[in-house]
């Protein structure tokens, strides 16, 4: 199962949310988890949930994205814009130094105490450094909500 890989022509893709695999937060999804791709018209892709925009800036943005649910999990494809920063991000992914991350809105998520994710309406996908430390699964901000509309 490819979690994140380069695909040529500035495109990246892979399984964003694998089914039946516990993540580093001890949460897990399966085919019955409600990811609800229809809740928002757009699902943008950011570098590191746009937390580091001052460093990567708009030159490292993803210009197209598409998500769909497969047997293995939620699959995503995105295309980087042109430019030196985009090339740096692409190379980071190509070296396997980056991973997918997803976010939802806090009031829409439903995670059982066992870690099973019942509901996680996808707002955005992000590519983040593999060693990025986040204290909990990412929930999103108004910035992302506006981008998804």
């Amino acid at each position: 199962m490819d979690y994140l890989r380069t695909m040529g022509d500035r495109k990246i893709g892979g399984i964003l949310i694998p089914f039946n695999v516990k993540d580093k937060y001890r949460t897990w999804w399966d085919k019955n988890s409600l990811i609800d791709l229809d809740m928002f018209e757009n699902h943008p892709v950011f570098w590191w949930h746009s937390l580091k925009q001052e460093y990567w800036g708009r030159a490292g943005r993803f210009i197209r994205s598409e998500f769909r649910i497969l047997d293995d999990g939620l699959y995503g494809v995105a295309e980087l814009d042109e430019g030196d920063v985009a090339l740096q991000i692409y190379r980071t992914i190509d070296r396997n130094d980056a991973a997918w991350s997803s976010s939802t809105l806090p009031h829409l998520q439903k995670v059982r105490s066992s870690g099973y994710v019942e509901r996680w309406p996808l707002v955005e996908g992000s590519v983040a450094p593999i060693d990025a430390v986040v204290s909990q699964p990412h929930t999103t901000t108004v910035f992302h909500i506006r981008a998804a509309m």
Side-chain angles (χ1 to χ4, degrees):
M1 180 180 332
D2 286 327
Y3 291 109
L4 180 63
R5 64 184 173 85
T6 56
M7 302 169 69
D9 294 327
R10 298 183 330 270
K11 292 182 182 155
I12 59 142
I15 299 290
L16 171 62
I17 298 175
F19 291 157
N20 303 309
V21 176
K22 284 194 176 183
D23 62 19
K24 67 181 180 181
Y25 311 108
R26 312 287 301 152
T27 54
W28 58 281
W29 291 255
D30 68 13
K31 65 180 182 174
N32 297 312
S33 299
L34 180 61
I35 296 173
D36 203 0
L37 292 174
D38 295 330
M39 183 171 278
F40 299 99
E41 183 177 341
N42 300 309
H43 302 95
V45 173
F46 297 105
W47 169 254
W48 208 343
H49 298 286
S50 75
L51 297 174
K52 301 296 179 188
Q53 285 297 92
E54 70 279 0
Y55 176 69
W56 293 98
R58 294 198 50 84
R61 74 182 187 272
F62 293 83
I63 54 175
R64 274 187 274 292
S65 62
E66 176 187 331
F67 295 95
R68 62 185 178 273
I69 296 174
L70 304 177
D71 291 338
D72 291 343
L74 177 65
Y75 180 82
V77 176
E79 182 180 340
L80 275 157
D81 67 358
E82 296 181 13
D84 292 341
V85 174
L87 184 59
Q88 286 178 321
I89 293 172
Y90 192 83
R91 287 179 178 157
T92 300
I93 296 165
D94 202 41
R95 288 191 313 265
N96 294 316
D97 289 338
W100 278 119
S101 182
S102 67
S103 75
T104 190
L105 298 169
H107 68 286
L108 295 178
Q109 69 178 332
K110 185 171 184 183
V111 181
R112 293 183 189 164
S113 60
S114 65
Y116 174 69
V117 180
E118 269 187 54
R119 188 167 192 238
W120 190 268
L122 183 73
V123 173
E124 56 99 1
S126 278
V127 174
I130 202 102
D131 60 352
V133 178
V134 181
S135 62
Q136 61 182 355
H138 197 78
T139 53
T140 197
T141 63
V142 172
F143 172 82
H144 301 107
I145 298 166
R146 286 184 185 139
M149 296 178 147

